[in-house]
Amino acid sequence: MKSALVLVAALALLAVGCQTSERLITFPSQTAADVKAPLDVPALEKRFPGQDGVYLQRDTSFEHVTSDGWPGGITWTFFETQTRSYVVFNPDAKWLSTFEVQVSPGSELERVALEIRGTDGKARQFGVGDLKQEKDSKGLVTYKLAYPDVRKGCVITEAYVIKKANCWAAPPLHHEVPLQFSIPCLQASYRFLYPNWWATKVKALGPGRTLPVEVKKDEQAKKTIMTYTAKDIPAVEKEPFSPFFKEVSNYAEIMVVQLSLGKAYYAAPLTWEAYAKEFKGYVMDKNPIFSQRVDRTTLEATQSCKTDRERLEALVGWIQANMEIGATKGNFADVLAAKRGSVYQLTGLAQSMLRKAGINSRFLLIHSAEDGYFDKDFISSEELYIPALMADLGGRSYVVLPYAKNLPVDIIPERFQGQTALAIEPSGAAQLITVPTGNLATNEVSEDYSLTFSEDGKVRVTEEKTFQGSNAYSVRRSLADLNREETEKLLKGLLTYTEGKVEFTKYEFVDQSDYKKPLKVHLEYVIDNLVTLTPEEVLFNTGGLFAPASRLKTKVAPKDRQNPVRIYYDEASRKNIVLTFPASWRLSRVPQDFRLENRFGSISGSYKSSSRKLQVQQALTLKKSFESKERIEELLELTGNHSKLYVPTLVFKVKG
């Protein structure tokens, strides 16, 4: 959710003097690899084991083109040119066997050239006329093509150009492109071309870490060309307990900080204080500050509240439940009457209502961890754009998002915790602060299992999961609007078992719609392939039942770890397990009680056995952490299959 604010003011179309900056990137891009020679697919697959494919090359070019266009005035056109080629290892990976591109309103798909070349060297080409089009209610057009006969070793080459013909209405001043991908890439390049009298800025990727770009000028075309190239780029792996993509990968983020076209002129804010002035209207509604409508609604929503905490929850909850997102003209009273406002208007409305209720708060613009490193010198609406309010009540800091449906006031989404925010006062004064870490709510998952074994080896299970805090909020969001098939698929993903065939006989949700309460999920199911029967003994493959935490399943080998270890907030998981088995079975060995603590948290387990039962209690706590990838083995001591709480198999002796 990036800012919808247009920070460019008064870009008037008044041509004076020569304002032509020629188009240099032709189609296809000059660096596109023409891959026709036979590839040694087995060698590539051996080099990159477990990957769905490999990019042979990727090239992205963004280009601003201007022209005097006399007598019609200055024209300003923007072109995005993409070329890529890749070899397919896994034909079932739909994202590799399908071409898809989205084009925003005001832009057009100027050219497309697609090719799939089989291992026999035969090729098929496709163009714009072969693509299927889908248009949504906002005018976004999606173009798609499912490649035919995709097989292992196929090479697919794609090239296309998106053209934005009129840049005056919504000037494209911010540009971003990934330079590391979900599969390896042998060669990647990025070029940004703009009139040589403009000025730009490149975002830093980390402390003292900048993107190595080369800048040169083409005086004849009046063009500045910024270039980045890289080879042998490793894939960005999706690994448990990892930072967000842009926190660990390379990408280019560039903004135009100064431009002129004729008498049209734009300069980006030089300070965060100057940037904050753009939001003053949301922080203090002066027309009027408190209308009768705002007053009345505030009083009605808080009439039964006795504490500031209750008033905060009531007002934020009222806006979340009754207001829709969508910009409305006018002041907060108009927004309230329309029951509709932008995320900034709804946040400002909430601040006014809180003020009326006697609660002071600060208007925040938060940086998201999903956007990578916060570069304090990259003063842009792409760095600080998430509106929120911070209220200090009873020695606790509440950070609330009034427009986020059903988000409790005691939960801060993990992508905002510990991030930088711009706190804006009604006077326009602003300062950079740090968002608190952790949640005021308890982040805990408790699981209760009752397993009953029959003589034929089937296992009937009754399970109840109780989610609290961020875990409850996340599961509720995931369950929203799912059909039966989708719900059961999600529930199987939440099950503790990494093996075994599960057949649900019953499931229900308790307090699913009440976001203020813990979420309980009651499950009943049968597993029929985890028990091996022999005349003398029974083997129960626990399938992950005794893993320290059900939702933290991972098969990542420590030696293959690529990302740092990130745990965003403290959390806990508890398991209570009761196994009931036939009288003729006797447990060969009862696991020993155990406890371990390290830098990431702690685990403990206790076991009690009787003639027909085994009772197990396990607990896992994790602490907010950020450590190097080499520490992953310590984390896996708590959460993985190498944990001493993990019992892969239980063996029962059979009497008689």
Side-chain angles (χ1 to χ4, degrees), residues 296-338:
R296 184 172 60 251
T297 306
T298 300
L299 293 173
E300 289 174 354
T302 59
Q303 60 183 349
S304 62
C305 299
K306 297 180 180 179
T307 66
D308 283 345
R309 168 66 167 74
E310 291 176 351
R311 282 184 277 274
L312 174 70
E313 187 172 54
L315 290 173
V316 171
W318 189 94
I319 292 176
Q320 290 176 346
N322 293 283
M323 304 293 289
E324 297 296 326
I325 296 176
T328 296
K329 291 184 179 180
N331 56 38
F332 293 150
D334 299 316
V335 170
L336 196 56

Side-chain angles (χ1 to χ4, degrees), residues 444-468:
E444 183 172 292
V445 179
S446 60
E447 302 170 284
D448 294 281
Y449 300 86
S450 176
L451 286 75
T452 303
F453 294 78
S454 59
E455 296 277 3
D456 61 4
K458 284 190 176 182
V459 185
R460 299 187 181 277
V461 184
T462 298
E463 176 181 344
E464 186 167 275
K465 296 180 181 290
T466 303
F467 299 92
Q468 298 186 64

Side-chain angles (χ1 to χ4, degrees), residues 130-149:
D130 300 304
L131 306 180
K132 292 184 179 181
Q133 300 182 32
E134 299 175 359
K135 190 173 184 179
D136 67 12
S137 59
K138 296 182 179 179
L140 183 71
V141 181
T142 301
Y143 295 86
K144 290 184 180 180
L145 173 73
Y147 291 111
D149 197 27

Side-chain angles (χ1 to χ4, degrees), residues 70-124:
W70 185 260
I74 297 174
T75 62
W76 175 12
T77 311
F78 176 74
F79 297 91
E80 175 186 344
T81 303
Q82 296 278 2
T83 64
R84 53 182 174 250
S85 60
Y86 54 92
V87 59
V88 178
F89 296 155
N90 177 15
D92 294 327
K94 291 185 178 180
W95 70 277
L96 288 177
S97 60
T98 304
F99 172 79
E100 181 175 329
V101 63
Q102 293 184 328
V103 180
S104 302
S107 298
E108 62 177 284
L109 189 61
E110 185 185 56
R111 294 193 65 181
V112 174
L114 311 175
E115 179 185 274
I116 178 170
R117 185 175 296 275
T119 53
D120 58 1
K122 295 181 180 180
R124 292 185 62 179

Side-chain angles (χ1 to χ4, degrees), residues 487-652:
T487 299
E488 291 191 0
K489 182 179 179 180
L490 184 145
L491 289 175
K492 287 183 178 180
L494 292 175
L495 290 177
T496 191
Y497 311 99
T498 54
E499 302 173 50
K501 183 179 179 181
V502 174
E503 180 183 344
F504 287 113
T505 56
K506 180 182 178 181
Y507 60 83
E508 63 178 337
F509 305 98
V510 180
D511 295 323
Q512 182 179 356
S513 60
D514 192 343
Y515 279 67
K516 297 178 183 178
K517 295 181 179 179
L519 171 65
K520 293 186 178 181
V521 183
H522 180 84
L523 305 166
E524 295 180 17
Y525 49 90
V526 176
I527 308 178
D528 64 1
N529 61 342
L530 290 181
V531 176
T532 301
L533 300 172
T534 70
E536 296 181 350
E537 63 181 14
V538 175
L539 304 178
F540 171 45
N541 174 7
T542 64
L545 175 64
F546 294 102
S550 301
R551 74 171 191 85
L552 305 176
K553 294 174 284 191
T554 175
K555 296 183 179 180
V556 177
K559 65 181 179 64
D560 297 327
R561 180 78 181 190
Q562 291 192 12
N563 296 313
V565 181
R566 168 67 67 86
I567 300 173
Y568 279 89
Y569 49 77
D570 295 349
E571 56 183 309
S573 176
R574 305 182 189 283
K575 282 186 177 183
N576 296 303
I577 307 168
V578 177
L579 284 74
T580 303
F581 41 87
S584 59
W585 297 8
R586 179 174 56 82
L587 192 61
S588 295
R589 186 180 70 85
V590 179
Q592 297 296 308
D593 293 355
F594 179 76
R595 177 175 174 80
L596 172 68
E597 185 172 349
N598 63 26
R599 73 180 64 238
F600 291 108
S602 64
I603 52 174
S604 63
S606 63
Y607 307 87
K608 183 179 179 181
S609 177
S610 59
S611 60
R612 293 189 58 191
K613 289 184 183 295
L614 175 65
Q615 295 175 285
V616 181
Q617 291 185 327
Q618 292 183 335
L620 163 69
T621 61
L622 293 177
K623 298 185 293 187
K624 174 183 170 62
S625 307
F626 186 64
E627 300 285 351
S628 67
K629 65 181 182 180
E630 287 75 21
R631 298 287 188 185
I632 186 63
E633 296 215 35
E634 293 178 64
L635 178 59
L636 295 181
E637 288 180 348
L638 304 181
T639 64
N641 292 347
H642 297 292
S643 162
K644 290 189 177 181
L645 285 185
Y646 180 73
V647 180
T649 307
L650 289 177
V651 179
F652 299 89

Side-chain angles (χ1 to χ4, degrees), residues 290 294 297-299 302 307-317 319 346-363 388-393 398-402 409:
F290 301 119
V294 174
T297 306
T298 300
L299 293 173
T302 59
T307 66
D308 283 345
R309 168 66 167 74
E310 291 176 351
R311 282 184 277 274
L312 174 70
E313 187 172 54
L315 290 173
V316 171
I319 292 176
L346 297 182
T347 305
L349 171 62
Q351 187 176 38
S352 283
M353 296 175 77
L354 288 173
R355 191 182 295 118
K356 174 62 181 176
I359 300 174
N360 291 323
S361 62
R362 287 184 284 177
F363 191 103
L389 298 176
M390 177 183 283
D392 296 323
L393 303 176
Y398 292 83
V399 176
V400 298
L401 282 66
V409 298

Side-chain angles (χ1 to χ4, degrees), residues 38-81:
L39 289 171
D40 189 344
V41 175
L44 277 175
E45 193 172 21
K46 184 178 180 180
R47 180 180 172 187
F48 303 107
Q51 300 289 341
D52 289 335
V54 170
Y55 285 119
L56 304 175
Q57 67 84 30
R58 284 193 60 147
D59 177 68
T60 299
S61 296
F62 292 156
E63 182 172 13
H64 291 271
V65 178
T66 62
S67 174
D68 278 354
W70 185 260
I74 297 174
T75 62
W76 175 12
T77 311
F78 176 74
F79 297 91
E80 175 186 344
T81 303

